[in-house]
Amino acid sequence: MSEIRFSNLTWDQLITLDQVLDEVIPIHGRGNFPTLEVKPKDIIQVVKEQLIEQGIIVKDTRLNGSTASYILASHNGISYKDLDVIFGVELPSDQEFQVVKDAVLGCLLDFLPKGVKKEKITLKTMREAYVQKMVKVCNKHDRWSLISLSNNTGKNVELKFVNSLRRQFEFSVDSFQIVLDPMLEFYSDKNAKLTKESYPVVVAESMYGDFREAMTHLQFKLISTRKPEEIRGGGLLKYSNLLVRDFKPACEAEIKTLERYMCSRFFIDFPDVAEQQMKIESYLHNHFIGEEKSKYDYLMTLRGVVNESTVCLMGHERRQTLNMITLMALKVLGEQNILPNTDNVTCFYQPAPYFAAEGGHPTYYVTSGPPPIFFQPYHPLHFHVPNGMV
């Protein structure tokens, strides 16, 4: 029996979609640039029209990832941060990538407040003022670009322009995409109102494959994926995030195998400890804004997975990574003026600022205020972690 990938949104889901698309999201400008007040339905429509006008073939527009999951299961406590929009486009050459970038930056000018003189504002200036990051990927399997618009609370508007993308999800619960074109067409009629008797048919698709199975995972907060070795970074950081948010493995029998694949792919993509730390720090910055107290639990959950399921590293490499994650966790506690359980940590009070540590182990510290506290961990490190994660 073939898997059914598609399902029509219910009336309640459609109302939630309408609320998400109609919500005003601030795009914060750097320096003296004013905040742009943007409704998703407006910027999606304007960008789509501008792309078509510039000769770009737009196949469809979709809401992706956690936002789509929220619309399908908002009653279940599912939340979202980024507004992730996919434009299915044709990008046969570098010229089309440039056209897309210029079109988006040009559209942002339309959202500047009244009274702002736009004539002397260049596209480069708009990029520096409102774009958090830009990504361009061109290889054998993937051809896409991303423009992320800045929001100081972490609710970024992410516009992704996809010609081809081999892997479009990490886990079943974030595999949903909602096709927006029927809603955009409905909004174009200024007199139209959503009623149970008159509303567009909107389709959702699970890139995981089996829509019903993926919805079951979402409703019951279950973790499942396919071929994690195909995911850049193995899905390891997202997996640890799901665990912290009380998701459970859909199949306990296979999760350890999946964890080993996740760890292996993560260390293939990020072999150096410095690279690993940068990636983890970036993930924390993007996914834990306003959730400072959850960072420690996340890091120690991640450490537990790495400790239990890493089979591809030499012993000293594994210890380096574990120590790096532990130090990041200690730093988080220090920033919050919280101390960990120190049963297995040796602490030194050092009143002299010029003290030089002796011996073969570095001295680590948390600068949470006087007097300074220095941590010199044993090898291997063991810290008390809630829920027995280590």
Side-chain angles (χ1 to χ4, degrees):
M1 182 176 177
S2 61
E3 296 174 335
I4 299 176
R5 301 172 62 92
F6 301 92
S7 179
N8 293 345
L9 264 60
T10 65
W11 167 249
D12 289 338
Q13 291 168 341
L14 195 74
I15 291 300
T16 305
L17 172 61
D18 179 55
Q19 292 170 347
V20 168
L21 294 177
D22 197 50
E23 178 188 8
V24 175
I25 299 177
I27 307 299
H28 296 109
R30 295 185 179 88
N32 295 324
F33 279 84
T35 297
L36 309 182
E37 302 290 341
V38 173
K39 289 185 177 181
K41 66 180 183 182
D42 294 335
I43 192 169
I44 295 169
Q45 184 67 58
V46 170
V47 169
K48 179 181 177 182
E49 290 175 353
Q50 187 61 30
L51 290 176
I52 293 172
E53 186 176 319
Q54 295 296 323
I56 300 295
I57 296 175
V58 181
K59 292 172 281 190
D60 58 19
T61 56
R62 298 180 174 220
L63 209 54
N64 182 54
S66 61
T67 317
S69 299
Y70 167 78
I71 289 162
L72 294 172
S74 58
H75 62 280
N76 201 37
I78 301 297
S79 62
Y80 73 98
K81 288 191 176 179
D82 291 342
L83 189 87
D84 191 355
V85 181
I86 292 178
F87 294 81
V89 293
E90 292 190 7
L91 302 169
S93 69
D94 286 344
Q95 181 180 349
E96 282 73 23
F97 279 96
Q98 186 64 44
V99 169
V100 165
K101 183 177 73 172
D102 291 347
V104 173
L105 297 175
C107 289
L108 292 181
L109 287 167
D110 296 336
F111 292 95
L112 286 168
K114 292 181 180 179
V116 175
K117 295 182 180 180
K118 307 176 185 178
E119 293 77 14
K120 294 184 179 181
I121 301 178
T122 65
L123 298 184
K124 181 181 179 181
T125 301
M126 292 299 290
R127 172 181 176 175
E128 293 172 348
Y130 294 106
V131 174
Q132 185 191 51
K133 66 179 177 181
M134 301 184 80
V135 179
K136 177 183 175 183
V137 176
C138 294
N139 57 44
K140 181 179 179 181
H141 301 288
D142 300 325
R143 193 170 183 84
W144 56 272
S145 67
L146 169 72
I147 300 177
S148 179
L149 306 179
S150 301
N151 178 281
N152 295 341
T153 64
K155 201 170 190 175
N156 298 327
V157 176
E158 306 231 316
L159 307 177
K160 185 177 285 187
F161 303 88
V162 177
N163 182 99
S164 58
L165 183 59
R166 179 174 59 171
R167 180 78 181 210
Q168 298 197 40
F169 73 98
E170 289 186 270
F171 296 89
S172 60
V173 294
D174 63 12
S175 70
F176 298 101
Q177 295 182 0
I178 297 174
V179 181
L180 296 177
D181 300 277
M183 286 295 282
L184 297 179
E185 187 175 343
F186 183 84
Y187 290 138
S188 66
D189 182 353
K190 302 302 181 184
N191 298 318
K193 291 185 178 181
L194 284 174
T195 66
K196 282 191 175 182
E197 292 72 35
S198 175
Y199 64 88
V201 176
V202 177
V203 175
E205 179 180 4
S206 170
M207 311 311 290
Y208 175 76
D210 189 322
F211 190 94
R212 183 176 295 181
E213 182 181 345
M215 271 301 296
T216 298
H217 294 162
L218 183 61
Q219 290 166 347
F220 292 96
K221 301 182 78 169
L222 301 175
I223 302 172
S224 181
T225 190
R226 292 174 177 172
K227 298 181 179 179
E229 66 275 13
E230 292 182 354
I231 308 169
R232 177 163 173 77
L236 175 63
L237 302 186
K238 176 63 179 280
Y239 172 68
S240 300
N241 195 353
L242 291 174
L243 289 176
V244 167
R245 299 183 192 282
D246 296 323
F247 283 71
K248 306 297 181 185
C251 179
E252 292 285 354
E254 70 172 16
I255 196 62
K256 287 302 177 184
T257 299
L258 292 177
E259 283 184 1
R260 286 194 286 272
Y261 281 126
M262 292 178 208
C263 290
S264 295
R265 179 61 198 261
F266 181 81
F267 291 117
I268 288 172
D269 291 333
F270 309 103
D272 182 73
V273 174
E275 289 180 280
Q276 296 162 19
Q277 182 168 341
M278 287 178 60
K279 184 64 179 177
I280 296 169
E281 288 175 342
S282 175
Y283 191 89
L284 287 173
H285 176 76
N286 292 327
H287 295 86
F288 286 85
I289 292 178
E291 298 182 83
E292 301 304 315
K293 292 184 178 180
S294 297
K295 287 183 177 180
Y296 175 78
D297 291 338
Y298 172 78
L299 287 167
M300 296 312 286
T301 298
L302 173 62
R303 186 186 188 282
V305 175
V306 171
N307 185 47
E308 293 291 329
S309 299
T310 299
V311 295
C312 61
L313 297 181
M314 300 288 287
H316 71 282
E317 293 174 325
R318 182 169 162 276
R319 286 192 296 272
Q320 281 183 325
T321 297
L322 292 173
N323 289 353
M324 175 269 293
I325 297 172
T326 304
L327 294 178
M328 289 182 67
L330 287 174
K331 181 181 177 183
V332 165
L333 291 181
E335 290 169 349
Q336 298 173 25
N337 292 319
I338 301 172
L339 293 181
N341 181 308
T342 56
D343 290 344
N344 293 304
V345 179
T346 301
C347 302
F348 298 90
Y349 170 59
Q350 302 293 355
Y354 52 84
F355 172 80
E358 295 180 356
H361 303 298
T363 300
Y364 307 111
Y365 61 95
V366 177
T367 55
S368 56
I373 298 173
F374 292 72
F375 296 94
Q376 186 172 30
Y378 291 117
H379 298 276
L381 294 173
H382 297 288
F383 290 92
H384 172 75
V385 183
N387 304 321
M389 290 308 303
V390 177

